[in-house]
Amino acid sequence: KKEHLRRGYQIVIGPILLRLDLWRQSGHLENYRDKMYFTKVEDDEYGIKPMNCLSHMLIFKSQIRSYRDLPIRYFELGTVHRHEKSGELHGLMRVRGFTQDDAHILCRPDQLNDEICAIVDFVDDVMKVFGFEYELEVITRPEKAIGGDEDWERATQALIDALRMKNLPYEINEGEGAFYGPKIDVKLKDALGRKWQCATIQVDFAMPERFDLGYVGNDGERHRPVMLHRVILGAMERFIGVLIEHYAGAFPVWLAPVQAILLTVTDRQLPYAEKVYDQLIQKGIRVEKDFRNEKLGFKIREAQLQKIPYMLVIGDREEKDQTISPRKRSGEATKALGVEDFIAHIRSEYPTLFLN
């Protein structure tokens, strides 16, 4: 969320249910019905959203827009539902209900190239943070599509021009685009070299036309904006699944759900250990405590199996010196540190993006 705000996005939230006539207007009812769920409320028919774009267009349309307002970038951590076939479901990688880091950008045609390039840069920044290599594909018009040939050609060329401007290699994948526009798909390569589609960038001339979106130009006339659909991580569930596979569960310390665990040698250290725990929590360190009456070696082995980056041992000496003795999950023991020094050490392992 912080990165999106820094890049000029507005955070919005759209409803899960939208009236059936809106899905008919968008073309989803005709071209995407098999992937959707439907329900009735007081005899009115509704579609459960498989995408977030309709709500974002309605927000755009809620007031008169000027050319000076554009581009407008709407961002939503939006939960969507898609009726995937049972045989297509695959753990976290392919599910029926998932949350996307979804955004829609409404811009003038002359802003289109800059906006695509900015999204490509955003994707690159994020993939570097997580340690992923990736490949790019330009996906062209499918058999079932809305919009005219000229718009599809303009949209496809805009994607290709942006990649050429960034000097990025890409493949062409014919006929697999969304029904409303061509797209760039980003295929992540995990530690085993397997490819996963996560990020995507789509150019759409058709939806703004169907929903009669407009802005007042500097000539005082009404003009049609272009819409970009994009995700960076994509489905959060899939991205988490890919991350788990990529790191084999041994996450870097900034990403680990539990960054450290406190291990006491005996009950004598409990008051000091509780004090250390409170200090770490107050500084935002994700820490757990294992104060059970078990042997230290047993507790260390359990923490290593959970792949927790740091085990913080507290015995009589640590209590006396007001320190902790960190052990890495690899088994390597480091010198005793003060609590503030340990916090500084963890912070030094954070990447700059997101965490500054």
Side-chain angles (χ1 to χ4, degrees), residues 147-190:
D149 292 345
E150 183 181 341
D151 285 342
W152 274 86
E153 289 172 13
R154 287 169 63 201
T156 305
Q157 195 59 49
L159 294 171
I160 290 171
D161 288 347
L163 293 180
R164 286 177 176 168
M165 182 174 289
K166 304 296 292 183
N167 292 315
L168 292 170
Y170 62 89
E171 300 287 334
I172 298 287
N173 187 341
E174 298 283 357
E176 296 295 324
F179 71 86
Y180 45 81
K183 58 180 179 172
I184 295 170
D185 273 353
V186 179
K187 302 290 181 73
L188 306 186
K189 293 172 73 174
D190 67 17

Side-chain angles (χ1 to χ4, degrees), residues 93 101 119-120 122-137 184-200 231-247 255:
M93 307 304 188
D101 62 332
I119 299 168
V120 170
F122 196 171
V123 171
D124 189 61
D125 286 345
V126 172
M127 295 312 149
K128 283 177 180 173
V129 166
F130 288 103
F132 283 118
E133 296 179 7
Y134 60 90
E135 296 175 356
L136 300 169
E137 286 184 356
I184 295 170
D185 273 353
V186 179
K187 302 290 181 73
L188 306 186
K189 293 172 73 174
D190 67 17
L192 299 178
R194 294 172 301 186
K195 296 179 184 177
W196 304 95
Q197 191 269 310
C198 288
T200 189
V231 292
I232 304 296
L233 302 179
M236 305 297 281
E237 291 79 359
R238 177 185 292 176
F239 192 79
I240 289 168
V242 174
L243 274 178
I244 292 168
E245 295 278 358
H246 187 65
Y247 288 109
L255 188 58

Side-chain angles (χ1 to χ4, degrees), residues 67-81:
Y67 71 96
R68 298 185 188 90
D69 300 327
L70 303 185
I72 294 176
R73 307 179 186 99
Y74 297 124
F75 167 64
E76 177 173 3
L77 278 170
T79 298
V80 298
H81 293 81

Side-chain angles (χ1 to χ4, degrees), residues 57-73:
M57 286 190 288
L58 295 177
I59 294 171
F60 181 87
K61 202 174 178 182
S62 65
Q63 65 187 73
I64 296 171
R65 308 290 179 177
S66 162
Y67 71 96
R68 298 185 188 90
D69 300 327
L70 303 185
I72 294 176
R73 307 179 186 99

Side-chain angles (χ1 to χ4, degrees), residues 16-181:
I16 296 289
L17 298 178
L18 288 161
R19 290 182 183 274
L20 203 64
D21 58 352
L22 288 169
W23 297 112
R24 185 176 289 110
Q25 184 178 350
S26 69
H28 283 83
L29 206 59
E30 179 185 353
N31 296 281
Y32 208 74
R33 187 185 191 108
D34 292 346
K35 295 279 190 181
M36 292 182 66
Y37 296 100
F38 300 93
T39 189
K40 276 192 173 183
V41 181
E42 298 174 350
D43 296 327
D44 288 329
E45 289 189 279
Y46 289 80
I48 300 173
K49 66 175 179 179
M51 301 174 187
N52 300 293
C53 45
L54 269 63
S55 301
H56 297 185
M57 286 190 288
L58 295 177
I59 294 171
F60 181 87
K61 202 174 178 182
S62 65
Q63 65 187 73
I64 296 171
R65 308 290 179 177
S66 162
Y67 71 96
R68 298 185 188 90
D69 300 327
L70 303 185
I72 294 176
R73 307 179 186 99
Y74 297 124
F75 167 64
E76 177 173 3
L77 278 170
T79 298
V80 298
H81 293 81
R82 297 179 185 175
H83 186 196
E84 306 288 0
K85 295 176 182 175
S86 298
E88 294 175 336
L89 301 177
H90 178 55
L92 284 175
M93 307 304 188
R94 197 173 186 94
V95 292
R96 287 178 174 149
F98 53 94
T99 300
Q100 296 176 302
D101 62 332
D102 203 3
H104 294 88
I105 299 168
L106 284 304
C107 65
R108 305 189 308 264
D110 63 288
Q111 297 170 321
L112 184 57
N113 185 269
D114 287 345
E115 291 302 309
I116 296 171
C117 288
I119 299 168
V120 170
D121 289 341
F122 196 171
V123 171
D124 189 61
D125 286 345
V126 172
M127 295 312 149
K128 283 177 180 173
V129 166
F130 288 103
F132 283 118
E133 296 179 7
Y134 60 90
E135 296 175 356
L136 300 169
E137 286 184 356
V138 175
I139 319 291
T140 63
R141 182 174 184 162
E143 191 173 327
K144 290 176 70 173
I146 61 174
D149 292 345
E150 183 181 341
D151 285 342
W152 274 86
E153 289 172 13
R154 287 169 63 201
T156 305
Q157 195 59 49
L159 294 171
I160 290 171
D161 288 347
L163 293 180
R164 286 177 176 168
M165 182 174 289
K166 304 296 292 183
N167 292 315
L168 292 170
Y170 62 89
E171 300 287 334
I172 298 287
N173 187 341
E174 298 283 357
E176 296 295 324
F179 71 86
Y180 45 81

Side-chain angles (χ1 to χ4, degrees), residues 155 174 261 270 273 331 354:
E174 298 283 357
I261 186 165
L270 287 178
F354 301 132

